[in-house]
Amino acid sequence: GGAGTGGQMTADPCDERAKLIYLVDTDNSLWSFKPSAMPPLTRIGLLNCPVMEGPPPFPGIPGPKPTPFSMAVDRSANAWVLYSDGTVWKVDTSNASCTATTFQKNQMGFETFGMGFVSNAAGSDMETLYIAGGAHNPLTGAPTGPIRLGTLNLMSFAISPLGTVTGNPELTGTGDAELWGFYPDVMPAKVAKLDKMTGAETMTFPASMISGMPEAWAFAFWGGDFYMFLKKMGDPSTTIYKMNRMTGAVTTFMANTGRTIVGAGVSTCAPIVIG
């Protein structure tokens, strides 16, 4: 919108790259996703994070190579990618290049976790990285203990635990300071607004049309809608679903993307509404 007579146009502090959703798949490919674009998905490149192979299951058999687990994107369009081995890497969303961090894995029992940045106040350029996770079975990915909400400080790389959540959510934040979780592993599947201090659900939208056995999932808010990236048992690949933030109505945005999407990150620069 334009400024009125004598009004000041406020400069948008956000880079255009910080307004997109970013996705990572099990093949280590990084994508940008702009729901209003045609086509909405653009491949950026291949993550080259030098993750270490796990211990060999049998002598002479190479150990499992860690794969991306979840992702968050900050207001400078940096992606922060958690791998299945509990390491966190900083990724440049312009070219998918990877930088190591000093994050110490398995802090406070948070082995793996979903994550999302949330504005500290509506419209603020200050933000906090929220995480939800715990200990997981390395073979099945199923939680082996309580799933807790916490924050991750990207200056000190320290985790501060908050409350507990019921289920195993992926998180997304909004530029108007709300924290939301996507829970495909409960019946019915749901999207819930979370209290940022306790993890308690303050508003819940059931999403029964996408209930089932989830294999891979991710979650992002953009332009007034939630985007759920979900591959269920038996699905050939991830389907992208869209949920209206006001009504909770769910529609299929893109069936069978051909990828298995495990992480989605969106910064608090992303549009809150589409004008």
Side-chain angles (χ1 to χ4, degrees), residues 21-263:
I21 296 171
Y22 292 91
L23 307 173
V24 67
D25 65 25
T26 47
D27 298 332
N28 283 288
S29 291
L30 183 70
W31 303 75
S32 67
F33 174 63
K34 185 177 184 180
S36 60
M38 267 334 235
L41 284 167
T42 304
R43 189 173 182 276
I44 296 165
L46 208 56
L47 297 182
N48 61 349
C49 305
V51 285
M52 304 291 287
E53 284 178 354
F58 303 104
I61 307 271
K65 191 80 188 269
T67 53
F69 186 90
S70 67
M71 174 166 68
V73 174
D74 66 26
R75 291 177 70 86
S76 303
N78 299 304
W80 301 87
V81 178
L82 170 74
Y83 272 73
S84 54
D85 65 351
T87 56
V88 173
W89 305 78
K90 183 179 180 180
V91 172
D92 184 330
T93 54
S94 66
N95 59 16
S97 66
C98 197
T99 308
T101 70
T102 58
F103 178 74
Q104 296 293 313
K105 62 186 191 178
N106 298 355
Q107 287 180 52
M108 310 271 184
F110 283 82
E111 289 181 7
T112 50
F113 42 87
M115 50 185 176
F117 283 95
V118 187
S119 293
N120 293 353
S124 168
D125 59 2
M126 303 296 287
E127 60 187 359
T128 300
L129 179 54
Y130 286 86
I131 64 174
H136 291 82
N137 179 312
L139 292 175
T140 64
T144 54
I147 299 294
R148 292 187 295 165
L149 184 69
T151 58
L152 172 55
N153 180 320
L154 291 176
M155 301 296 284
S156 63
F157 288 101
I159 287 177
S160 301
L162 295 165
T164 54
V165 294
T166 49
N168 205 16
E170 260 298 354
L171 302 179
T172 193
T174 70
D176 52 3
E178 293 180 357
L179 173 66
W180 290 77
F182 169 43
Y183 298 78
D185 61 320
V186 297
M187 285 298 285
K190 66 185 178 184
V191 166
K193 183 177 165 184
L194 303 179
D195 182 296
K196 291 191 283 190
M197 294 309 297
T198 66
E201 294 171 29
T202 58
M203 179 190 286
T204 304
F205 290 126
S208 38
M209 77 168 264
I210 60 172
S211 289
M213 279 293 292
E215 277 184 2
W217 63 96
F219 186 45
F221 172 77
W222 194 90
D225 297 296
F226 297 111
Y227 290 87
M228 291 102 82
F229 306 85
L230 179 63
K231 180 182 185 293
K232 293 184 289 199
M233 201 78 83
D235 288 352
S237 67
T238 295
T239 287
I240 304 175
Y241 301 94
K242 177 174 155 178
M243 175 186 274
N244 182 298
R245 174 162 72 153
M246 295 304 156
T247 66
V250 178
T251 51
T252 299
F253 182 83
M254 183 189 286
N256 291 330
T257 55
R259 322 300 312 172
T260 298
I261 295 166
V262 289

